[in-house]
Amino acid sequence: MPLARATHLSRRGVLAAGGALGLGAALAACGSDDGKTGGSGSGTAAAESGPWSFKDDRGQTAKAGKVPSNIVAFVGVAAALHDYGVQAKGVFGPTTTKDGKADVQAGDMDVSKVTVLGNEWGQFNIEKYAALAPDVLISTMFDDAGTLWYVPEESKKKILAVGAPSVGVSVHDRQMTEPLQRMLALAKSLGGDVTGDKVQQAKKRFEDAAARLRAAAKAKPDIKVMAGSAGQDLFYVSGTNLSIDLEYFKALGVNFVEPPEQAKAKGGGWYESLSWENVDKYPADIIMMDNRTSVIQPAGITQGTWKKLPAVRAGQVIARNPEPILSYDKCAPLLEDLAKAVENAKKVS
């Protein structure tokens, strides 16, 4: 589940708590486009000429005199575009871990070959950004207000004043398939390869995995799944509304724990925060845990109440990325992992 500052617990706030949860204190206090390209489909089409435009999910049309080659993007967007052969020059958001390795949100990108403008929430080096002479700035959006994810509100005007058009891909209140199609359309407009064998195989793998998950959920309708995220003092239970992965999984028939509306309202309308003493509030047979490096991973949870949960004792805990990398290659395994977990799950709740 994607957190911001504790001053207002909006969904953007909790998503950034992916960054703030790790600090332990944050919460305590293909859709159509009008992209045009002369690209060959073999890369970023930097050498191609001719005008470029793309209508984003804010209804705004980004335009350039040629297909953008100096691309700056949120790391997860850059990772998705990479899977279609489109290379970003600059990224922002969780890109490297403390030991210098690629963060889970960087996908298959070689993080040594991109300029990192900021690795944590609130970081965005405007000088480095300007030096890249960006042609376009791309990020996801977790609200209806068109807020570009990980672009700091306090410096947004200065960032946009550099002059590059911006593109926002919505990952708010819709199923995973829609932003997947939008990212594919964006990659196509940027000269990416969206029709080659690798992409077609990944798309088929995704479709097969969706069918497998639907069948597994139908065969075991009583298996209850809970989506959680671990902080130092609190455990967060996500409802399915607003999250692109959970909404899609639910549509395929997965039986999720759903916090009541009054409880979710306290968390911005989509999650409930529980003390570790009350982590057993909701019976669950499978627990999907936030796998981002900014939050505590299951192996690092020391609370005895967690270790006593039936799903934990049964070894029925799997990883979940609340900010999926939006390529078929990266989303197919998410479906496969959940399908396998449901197929093998024992009723323990």
Side-chain angles (χ1 to χ4, degrees):
M1 50 197 189
L3 288 231
R5 304 306 169 186
T7 51
H8 68 290
L9 298 181
S10 64
R11 179 155 193 257
R12 178 179 170 88
V14 176
L15 284 165
L21 273 177
L23 302 177
L27 284 184
C30 173
S32 63
D33 72 273
D34 45 13
K36 301 173 184 176
T37 178
S40 64
S42 61
T44 57
E48 300 295 336
S49 60
W52 170 86
S53 68
F54 185 84
K55 187 175 182 180
D56 74 1
D57 292 336
R58 299 169 297 183
Q60 298 180 13
T61 300
K63 298 180 179 180
K66 63 181 180 65
V67 175
S69 57
N70 292 350
I71 298 169
V72 175
F74 172 68
V75 61
V77 171
L81 293 175
H82 173 84
D83 286 349
Y84 296 117
V86 178
Q87 307 302 325
K89 287 196 173 181
V91 298
F92 53 95
T95 306
T96 59
T97 58
K98 291 180 180 179
D99 58 5
K101 296 180 180 179
D103 188 275
V104 64
Q105 296 190 63
D108 294 332
M109 281 195 303
D110 183 344
V111 296
S112 69
K113 294 183 178 180
V114 293
T115 298
V116 181
L117 305 177
N119 202 54
E120 297 179 4
W121 181 258
Q123 294 181 349
F124 194 110
N125 190 310
I126 301 176
E127 290 73 22
K128 283 186 177 182
Y129 175 61
L132 289 172
D135 294 324
V136 67
L137 173 70
I138 311 171
S139 192
T140 48
M141 302 181 298
F142 283 94
D143 58 30
D144 287 327
T147 306
L148 296 176
W149 187 232
Y150 263 81
V151 174
E153 286 295 305
E154 61 272 17
S155 54
K156 179 178 67 175
K157 289 184 178 179
K158 291 183 179 180
I159 293 168
L160 296 179
V162 171
S166 64
V167 170
V169 177
S170 180
V171 288
H172 173 70
D173 195 18
R174 61 202 63 205
Q175 294 179 23
M176 181 188 288
T177 46
E178 184 174 344
L180 270 171
Q181 292 166 354
R182 294 293 286 144
M183 192 63 71
L184 187 79
L186 176 59
K188 180 181 179 181
S189 83
L190 293 170
D193 181 359
V194 301
T195 59
D197 289 345
K198 182 179 178 181
V199 174
Q200 294 307 308
Q201 290 168 7
K203 193 168 187 286
K204 184 179 187 306
R205 180 183 174 188
F206 178 88
E207 293 167 349
D208 289 347
R212 178 182 173 185
L213 179 56
R214 187 189 297 276
K218 184 176 181 180
K220 292 189 173 182
D222 294 333
I223 293 297
K224 201 79 171 178
V225 180
M226 178 167 68
S229 189
Q232 190 65 42
D233 302 310
L234 295 171
F235 181 83
Y236 305 91
V237 179
S238 179
T240 57
N241 290 340
L242 307 182
S243 297
I244 60 171
D245 60 333
L246 301 185
E247 283 201 14
Y248 185 49
F249 300 157
K250 182 173 70 172
L252 292 174
V254 178
N255 184 7
F256 279 99
V257 167
E258 296 281 8
E261 291 304 317
Q262 63 270 26
K264 288 195 295 181
K266 296 179 181 179
W270 65 287
Y271 72 95
E272 179 180 2
S273 56
L274 300 174
S275 66
W276 283 104
E277 290 76 13
N278 295 316
V279 72
D280 61 352
K281 180 176 180 178
Y282 298 110
D285 304 297
I286 297 171
I287 303 177
M288 302 178 69
M289 288 295 290
D290 189 337
N291 72 345
R292 293 173 298 171
T293 54
S294 51
V295 302
I296 300 174
Q297 297 305 302
I301 300 175
T302 59
Q303 284 81 358
T305 49
W306 163 261
K307 295 179 180 180
K308 291 179 181 178
L309 292 177
V312 176
R313 293 171 66 90
Q316 296 178 173
V317 177
I318 65 172
R320 173 202 173 212
N321 188 346
E323 299 180 59
I325 294 172
L326 295 170
S327 72
Y328 289 103
D329 182 71
K330 296 299 181 293
C331 286
L334 307 181
L335 291 161
E336 291 169 344
D337 290 348
L338 181 54
K340 181 179 179 181
V342 173
E343 289 166 351
N344 296 333
K346 297 178 181 178
K347 185 66 179 174
V348 295
S349 63

